[in-house]
């Protein structure tokens, strides 16, 4: 803490109101210049796991990822049709330039949606076998580095109870983009489209 900074924990006393020059918390108004909301840092999976996302069988994404996240190219999760991830686990995401990585994923998703529209499909999902193959490759590449030996947010060490799984793809952005291009050029290999 500094004299000109006030940290206020809102877990026990939630924010009641935010206005242009102040925040009301627990009956006390705090004048502000800036407001920083520190929501924790559960990298790569926290946002998706904190929403109660369920597939048509009622399985939650949090349960599916109970032993650690698994995805196909960091874009989709087998068993969760029409649910896209942008810079999800097993993609270069945080090990690359995030804006460019996000744009790349948006372009891929746009291509998938364009294919769906052109061919009259109503849903798409990752094929489980393709997902397992990709996760295996991502783990193999990561295991060849020291990343998996450290206790960092890359493997969830900063979140109590989170499974220790190295999440980003570290085979390089060039190799990742080539893999995605190969998938697209091979008729979206690893994705199942349905009418």
């Amino acid at each position: 803490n500094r004299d000109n900074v006030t940290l206020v924990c809102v877990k026990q006393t939630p924010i009641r109101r935010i206005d242009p020059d102040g925040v009301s918390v627990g009956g006390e108004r705090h004048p502000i210049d800036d407001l920083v909301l520190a929501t924790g840092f559960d990298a790569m999976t926290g946002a998706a796991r904190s929403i109660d996302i369920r597939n048509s069988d009622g399985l939650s994404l949090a349960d599916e990822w109970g032993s650690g996240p698994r995805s196909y190219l960091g874009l989709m999760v087998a068993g969760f049709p029409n649910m896209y991830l942008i810079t999800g686990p097993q993609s270069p995401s945080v090990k690359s330039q995030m804006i460019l990585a996000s744009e790349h994923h948006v372009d891929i998703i746009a291509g998938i949606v364009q294919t769906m529209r052109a061919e009259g499909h109503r849903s798409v999902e990752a094929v489980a076998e393709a997902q397992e193959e990709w996760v295996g490759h991502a783990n193999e590449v990561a295991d060849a580095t020291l990343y998996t030996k450290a206790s960092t947010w890359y493997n969830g060490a900063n979140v109590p109870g989170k499974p220790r799984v190295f999440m980003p793809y570290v085979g390089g952005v060039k190799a990742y983009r080539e893999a995605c291009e190969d998938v697209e050029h091979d008729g979206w290999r690893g994705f199942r489209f349905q009418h």
Side-chain angles (χ1 to χ4, degrees), residues 9 17 20 29 31 40 47-49 65 90-91 95 109 147-148 155 172 186-187:
C9 178
R17 179 178 170 82
R29 187 168 185 288
R49 285 175 51 102
W65 284 356
Q90 288 94 39
S91 77
K95 298 304 295 167
I109 293 165
Y147 284 121
T148 59
N155 62 17
D186 197 14

Side-chain angles (χ1 to χ4, degrees), residues 82 84 109-124 188 193-195:
N82 296 346
Y84 303 98
I109 293 165
I112 291 170
V113 170
Q114 184 177 19
T115 298
M116 290 176 69
R117 286 182 176 161
E119 297 178 6
H121 300 296
R122 296 187 51 81
S123 73
V124 61
W188 296 109
F193 294 86
Q194 294 184 348
H195 291 285

Side-chain angles (χ1 to χ4, degrees), residues 133-145 148 169-170:
E133 185 178 320
W134 180 255
V135 171
H137 169 67
N139 289 340
E140 180 181 0
V141 171
D143 288 342
T145 72
T148 59
Y169 178 73
V170 291

Side-chain angles (χ1 to χ4, degrees), residues 10 12 39 41 66 110 112 132 142 169 172 185 187:
V10 296
Q12 316 223 321
T39 59
F41 193 65
I112 291 170
E132 292 312 304
Y169 178 73
H185 292 145

Side-chain angles (χ1 to χ4, degrees), residues 2 10 53 56 70 72-73 100 107 115 138 151 190 194:
R2 296 179 3 187
V10 296
I53 298 170
S56 59
R70 305 178 83 66
Y72 184 47
L73 301 171
L100 296 177
D107 288 343
T115 298
S151 292
Q194 294 184 348

